[in-house]
Amino acid sequence: MKFIIIRILIAYLFVGIFTNAFAVSSFISMPTFLAAIYSLLYLILLLSSRIKLHKEGYWLLAYWLVLTFSFILFATGEKCLNHYIMWTFSFFAFYYVFKSLVLYLLKFDSGIFNTMLNIISFSVFISSLFAIVEFLLVNFVGVNLENIIPRGRVEGYTPLASNFIRARSFMEESGHFSLYLEIFTPITLAWLLRNKRNKIILISYISIVLIALFFSFSAYGLVALVIAIFIYLYYYVFSVGNLKSLMKKLFIVFILFLVIIIVFPSIWEIGYQTVTAKLDVDNSSFSDRNSRIVGLDQYLTGIHLMVGYGSAAFSTLKTPSFISLYVGILMSAGICGIILFLGFLLCTFYHILQIKNKDMRCGFVIAFTLSTIHFCFVDLIYLPWFWTMLALAYVYRTKEKLLPHD
């Protein structure tokens, strides 16, 4: 049984990039299918008393109970049941069950975490490399890989940025691909640094990922890159113990930025235009997001202010979807729900800060920060990446306690 679970978890981590390619829909995808299988195996282990319930995650469980209460009483839209199932499955399968199984396997194989990080690193590299090839082929050769790789939905996805069709790799949209890189690149890069990989491998890895991120033309992806750099500087430059060392590192950083500006001057201009275009009030993306939020306060009255309208509140209220995860939570579970979910995030972030290894702590801090900010502008909680990242952070912290010298 342990051998089977290990193989399924490894396969799940690898196919995590295929959330749209080879998928039936935006939710029923290859990672969802494998998550359903390992959840069934978890249930078998639980019923046979070979594994115990993991007592952790009360904040998120409390939020789910509030969401369930509101769903039963107030949800009347046609999409409410689907979204409730998506939320429930994401919480239990992508986060709780995955974390519990990895902790269970950790007792028998201390190297399972190493294997998982290697698999994720490989997946990040493959998805980034594919995104670059995809971008170059469709824009400069006229070859559209859409005709080769079947998609779950949005077959005709061709948004333009600076006259280019944006890369999205195996995901549904370019923003999804950007979120994937924001979550897993910091962790895998920290992992590669921790294991002292060859410098050529590190430089190649970083270069491929950065080029892929740039080809996605994701406005927040570029902002996230700047945020990540500042967090990295905080951990590895500004935290030095003496002034001499600080000045030396600041000088090196300055020289690197100067070289990049001189060698790639157009990157800064295109990046600036991409970000400012999204912030323009006349931009369709900005206007669309803004219009979906304005006026929602009229619905938050009485008991709905406290517990919301249940999952997919937009469907019940006959309004456009809210796009922002946090607005969606407020409308679906009210003030109680948003407080409980934010409590879960803060508690999780506190545990991440307890990670002893500096490289891994920095990686998880960057991943957590970038993704939670990104959720202000998207509602992609049904994708496995965020939950998987949180589960891995918890497992790594537990691993440090169990195997302090590993």
Side-chain angles (χ1 to χ4, degrees), residues 17-32:
I17 56 180
F18 299 108
T19 53
N20 188 253
F22 310 107
V24 176
S25 69
S26 59
F27 181 66
I28 305 176
S29 59
M30 293 175 68
T32 304

Side-chain angles (χ1 to χ4, degrees), residues 54-109:
H54 185 66
K55 297 180 181 180
E56 191 273 333
Y58 295 115
W59 285 94
L60 191 57
L61 179 60
Y63 164 75
W64 177 77
L65 291 174
V66 172
L67 183 69
T68 301
F69 172 81
S70 301
F71 167 74
I72 294 173
L73 292 184
F74 308 119
T76 58
E78 62 178 351
K79 295 185 178 181
C80 295
L81 177 60
N82 289 343
H83 279 246
Y84 178 75
I85 293 174
M86 286 165 56
W87 247 109
T88 302
F89 187 88
S90 299
F91 163 42
F92 285 103
F94 293 150
Y95 177 66
Y96 184 85
V97 174
F98 176 79
K99 177 177 63 176
S100 300
L101 284 176
V102 178
L103 289 173
Y104 168 74
L105 294 173
L106 199 60
K107 299 177 182 178
F108 306 98
D109 182 7

